[in-house]
């Protein structure tokens, strides 16, 4: 009986996956959700789309205003007709935290009065807008990078929401997972157990009937890898490190080196080439033709939806040089539609030493600036005398800031009395004046668009990945004190997570 039940469950899952619409370059029935409007496209780089007869919203000159984090599915349901968009029993269950609740972009519009009433000007929508599994409400495991998730709304719905946001003076920041996708690929011999890092890579197998349309894995071994391996830095952010990777690789658009947990005992470079948390396939973003498609698809979202910025998810798991190249292209793409100060913060969970590599032009631990006045007077013109202070030129600035600053969060957790280890490599002291001074010395805070010193870290006390302060004794008071420090003491951008203002 147990075997029959297992087989039945498996066949049900396969049936669900078969029913998910394939993300083909162009299908008339998917036109309302497909960002690619080129009906004759034969290659992903042929995909194109523009918001016709539309005046794009310019970037703000100054991003230092309050942001509000929203998980779209968990917010307001404005269109119940899309709650079960895939027509399965695995989608919309309002009483469950494992399935979808029904929030969408039309529901978000209904809350703009409320959001503006709090003084919010920036809306960060956590999770990507792209198609996921029917039950995957968070949006962090996209199955395609040009097809919108039906549950959140059509292209027209998104445009209606973003137009109304812009009319009110609000700005919209979307999540971008860069190279991590859904969970369609497994490794031969390791479908029911984790695959440790293998420098020679594994043979892949498809887990389900579903396939990626624009990216393909491969098992053919290239004795000499046709693509140069990326540069990797040591975990301390002090310089380049050596790896166990050999000269060979698989002819694949995915990294097939194994899997790592979300948190665990592995090096930063291993996290950058492996399947994340055992459930997110990793594109080979350091392969030029793969990076070209990632850049192209990200630009397509800008031109089709008129968004104002990207938050890079798991930014430290993106190889550094290629993130800089992607960010350069995003700024170029945005400028083509009049956005001269496109905002690109990223998730930096690790310590300040490694995170500093990613901020702006990047500092290693031996490239800090001890003269505060000199740091404040820096511009985006890297003079010959300053070349040794940075890892890359200004146009390749990787991140504009940390999206929810974990170094400050760790300091706040200690300051507010939590027990445990709340420090990471290179984190400055908890004294908040010294915290700020330490960040100025180690983070390149010059805005590559304007050439001015422009601190744009997002500082907060709660986000979608950490606990809610009101759940502990005196938690609301601790949260408010932390928010005071994050908002009024630290120069940068305050960010709150939905529900904080209502004591939950």
């Amino acid at each position: 009986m147990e075997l029959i039940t297992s087989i039945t469950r498996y066949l049900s899952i396969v049936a669900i996956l078969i029913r998910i619409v394939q993300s083909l370059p162009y299908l008339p029935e998917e036109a309302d959700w497909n960002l690619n409007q080129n009906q004759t496209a034969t290659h992903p780089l042929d995909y194109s789309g523009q918001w016709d007869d539309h005046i794009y919203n310019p970037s703000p000159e100054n991003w230092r205003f309050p942001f509000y984090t929203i998980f779209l599915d968990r917010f307001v349901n404005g269109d119940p007709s899309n709650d079960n968009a895939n027509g399965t029993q695995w989608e919309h269950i309002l009483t469950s935290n494992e399935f979808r609740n029904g929030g969408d972009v039309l529901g978000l519009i209904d809350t703009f009065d409320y959001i503006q009433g709090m003084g919010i000007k920036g809306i960060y929508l956590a999770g990507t807008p792209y198609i996921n599994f029917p039950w995957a409400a968070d949006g962090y495991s996209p199955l395609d990078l040009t097809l919108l998730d039906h549950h959140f709304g059509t292209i027209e719905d998104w445009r209606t929401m973003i137009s109304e946001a812009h009319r009110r003076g609000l700005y919209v920041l979307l999540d971008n997972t860069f190279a991590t996708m859904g969970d369609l690929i497994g490794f031969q011999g390791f479908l029911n157990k984790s695959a440790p890092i293998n420098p020679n890579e594994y043979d892949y197998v498809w887990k389900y009937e579903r396939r990626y349309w624009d990216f393909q894995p491969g098992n053919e071994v290239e004795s000499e890898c046709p693509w140069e391996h990326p540069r990797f830095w040591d975990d301390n952010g002090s310089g380049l490190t050596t790896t166990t990777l050999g000269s060979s690789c698989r002819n694949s658009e995915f990294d097939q080196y194994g899997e790592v947990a979300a948190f665990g005992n592995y090096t930063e470079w291993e996290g950058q080439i492996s399947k994340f948390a055992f459930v997110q396939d990793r594109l080979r973003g350091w392969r030029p033709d793969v990076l070209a498609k990632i850049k192209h698809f990200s630009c397509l979202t800008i031109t089709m939806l008129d968004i104002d910025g990207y938050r890079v998810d798991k930014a430290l798991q993106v190889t550094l040089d290629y993130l800089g190249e992607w960010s350069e292209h995003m700024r170029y793409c945005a400028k083509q539609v009049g956005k001269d100060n496109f905002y690109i913060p990223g998730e930096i969970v690790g310590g300040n030493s490694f995170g500093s590599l990613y901020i702006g032009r990047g500092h290693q631990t031996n490239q800090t600036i001890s003269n505060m006045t000199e740091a404040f007077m820096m511009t985006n013109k890297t003079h010959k005398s300053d070349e040794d202070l940075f890892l890359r030129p200004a146009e390749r600035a990787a991140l504009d800031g940390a999206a929810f600053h974990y170094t400050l969060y760790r300091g706040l957790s200690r300051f507010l009395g939590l027990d445990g280890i709340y420090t990471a490599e290179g984190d400055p002291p908890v004294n908040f004046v010294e915290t700020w001074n330490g960040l100025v010395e180690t983070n390149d805070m010059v805005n590559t668009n304007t050439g001015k010193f422009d601190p744009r870290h997002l500082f907060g006390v709660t986000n979608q990945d950490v606990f809610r302060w009101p759940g502990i004794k005196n938690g609301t008071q601790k949260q408010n004190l932390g928010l005071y420090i994050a908002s009024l003491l630290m120069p940068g951008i305050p960010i709150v997570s939905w529900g904080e203002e209502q004591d939950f």
Side-chain angles (χ1 to χ4, degrees):
M1 179 62 71
E2 290 183 2
L3 177 60
I4 294 175
T5 302
S6 298
I7 292 174
T8 302
R9 184 180 298 114
Y10 172 77
L11 292 176
S12 298
I13 293 174
V14 170
I16 291 169
L17 293 167
I18 292 174
R19 292 173 65 181
I20 299 176
V21 179
Q22 294 288 325
S23 54
L24 300 171
Y26 188 87
L27 287 174
E29 60 267 31
E30 289 300 304
D32 289 342
W33 298 272
N34 194 345
L35 296 177
N36 167 41
Q37 301 291 288
N38 182 2
Q39 300 185 29
T40 61
T42 59
H43 187 275
L45 294 183
D46 295 332
Y47 296 177
S48 62
Q50 197 85 5
W51 190 338
D52 295 330
D53 302 318
H54 174 69
I55 299 175
Y56 288 85
N57 193 57
S59 304
E61 293 182 4
N62 186 344
W63 280 99
R64 288 190 295 280
F65 44 70
F67 264 75
Y68 193 64
T69 300
I70 295 171
F71 252 132
L72 199 54
D73 176 76
R74 294 300 195 258
F75 211 50
V76 178
N77 191 342
D79 181 10
S81 69
N82 61 29
D83 290 352
N84 289 287
N86 293 115
T88 76
Q89 61 179 324
W90 307 89
E91 291 176 65
H92 178 254
I93 302 178
L94 191 60
T95 57
S96 171
N97 62 4
E98 298 294 330
F99 296 96
R100 295 182 186 262
N101 283 12
D104 49 41
V105 292
L106 294 182
L108 178 57
I109 295 174
D110 293 338
T111 70
F112 280 165
D113 284 343
Y114 171 73
I115 290 173
Q116 280 193 292
M118 293 186 288
I120 300 295
K121 286 194 65 177
I123 297 174
Y124 157 48
L125 297 179
T128 74
Y130 311 116
I131 186 172
N132 273 249
F133 285 115
W135 55 85
D138 61 42
Y140 280 109
S141 301
L143 302 175
D144 189 90
L145 299 179
T146 61
L147 190 66
L148 298 179
D149 192 319
H150 289 212
H151 299 86
F152 296 144
T154 64
I155 292 173
E156 192 58 38
D157 293 338
W158 277 91
R159 288 174 170 178
T160 299
M161 182 274 289
I162 290 173
S163 293
E164 178 60 16
H166 289 160
R167 187 188 71 80
R168 292 168 173 261
L170 300 169
Y171 297 89
V172 179
L173 184 71
L174 290 191
D175 246 323
N176 191 304
T177 59
F178 190 86
T180 49
M181 302 285 286
D183 183 23
L184 301 184
I185 296 172
F187 300 124
Q188 186 70 51
F190 291 89
L191 292 181
N192 293 311
K193 57 183 178 180
S194 61
I197 296 297
N198 176 5
N200 298 313
E201 299 195 271
Y202 293 95
D203 283 339
Y204 84 91
V205 293
W206 290 108
K207 288 186 172 183
Y208 313 112
E209 295 292 326
R210 172 79 197 205
R211 300 288 187 269
Y212 296 113
W213 179 256
D214 298 318
F215 301 100
Q216 301 301 323
N219 288 332
E220 179 186 357
V221 177
E222 300 280 357
S223 58
E224 290 293 330
C225 194
W227 316 284
E228 183 180 359
H229 283 122
R231 297 193 299 171
F232 297 102
W233 272 259
D234 62 33
D235 291 7
N236 300 324
S238 60
L240 297 178
T241 188
T242 57
T243 73
T244 58
L245 300 180
S247 59
S248 66
C249 68
R250 302 298 170 110
N251 187 356
S252 173
E253 294 188 305
F254 290 85
D255 282 331
Q256 296 170 202
Y257 293 102
E259 305 168 317
V260 297
F263 300 96
N265 186 24
Y266 53 85
T267 61
E268 295 286 359
W269 73 263
E270 289 174 320
Q272 293 176 352
I273 61 167
S274 54
K275 185 166 181 170
F276 176 73
F278 312 114
V279 294
Q280 290 182 343
D281 302 324
R282 185 174 300 279
L283 292 171
R284 186 159 280 170
W286 48 273
R287 177 172 161 170
D289 55 342
V290 174
L291 180 62
K293 287 189 279 190
I294 295 173
K295 292 192 295 186
H296 188 65
F297 298 157
S298 297
C299 181
L300 188 60
T301 300
I302 296 173
T303 59
M304 283 292 286
L305 300 183
D306 193 8
I307 63 171
D308 303 295
Y310 275 126
R311 174 226 185 233
V312 181
D313 185 53
K314 300 184 292 293
L316 299 189
Q317 292 200 3
V318 180
T319 50
L320 181 53
D321 292 329
Y322 295 95
L323 179 59
E325 186 176 335
W326 175 86
S327 294
E328 178 185 25
H329 188 74
M330 291 308 99
R331 296 185 186 99
Y332 169 80
C333 172
K335 285 181 179 179
Q336 303 312 298
V337 293
K339 297 177 182 291
D340 295 330
N341 196 18
F342 194 76
Y343 183 39
I344 308 176
E347 182 183 24
I348 298 178
V349 178
N352 183 59
S353 291
F354 197 80
S356 295
L357 302 172
Y358 284 73
I359 302 299
R361 290 164 286 187
H363 289 305
Q364 293 180 165
T365 54
N366 62 346
Q367 295 175 314
T368 58
I369 301 174
S370 57
N371 186 316
M372 298 290 287
T373 301
E374 180 184 352
F376 293 141
M377 298 302 293
M378 282 280 181
T379 71
N380 60 356
K381 305 297 182 184
T382 306
H383 302 290
K384 196 166 186 66
S385 60
D386 298 331
E387 287 180 351
D388 291 341
L389 293 176
F390 303 105
L391 294 174
R392 53 192 171 273
E395 59 270 18
R396 291 288 175 93
L399 297 177
D400 296 329
F404 187 80
H405 205 286
Y406 275 92
T407 290
L408 178 68
Y409 174 73
R410 286 187 288 266
L412 284 172
S413 297
R414 294 163 63 194
F415 173 73
L416 296 174
L418 294 189
D419 292 332
I421 300 174
Y422 291 99
T423 186
E425 187 69 35
D427 282 354
V430 176
N431 178 305
F432 296 112
V433 173
E434 294 181 12
T435 300
W436 167 246
N437 290 343
L439 295 180
V440 172
E441 293 171 354
T442 57
N443 295 180
D444 177 27
M445 298 191 193
V446 173
N447 186 328
T448 192
N449 298 309
T450 66
K452 299 178 180 179
F453 181 82
D454 187 7
R456 286 164 296 158
H457 288 310
L458 286 153
F459 294 115
V461 293
T462 298
N463 73 0
Q464 64 269 29
D465 290 322
V466 300
F467 79 104
R468 295 278 188 172
W469 286 91
I472 65 174
K473 185 177 181 179
N474 298 322
T476 301
Q477 292 83 352
K478 292 176 184 287
Q479 173 183 283
N480 289 341
L481 176 56
L483 191 59
Y484 174 89
I485 294 169
S487 301
L488 301 179
L489 183 61
M490 300 300 295
I493 303 171
I495 185 168
V496 296
S497 188
W498 84 104
E500 278 188 74
E501 75 282 0
Q502 295 188 22
D503 196 20
F504 68 87

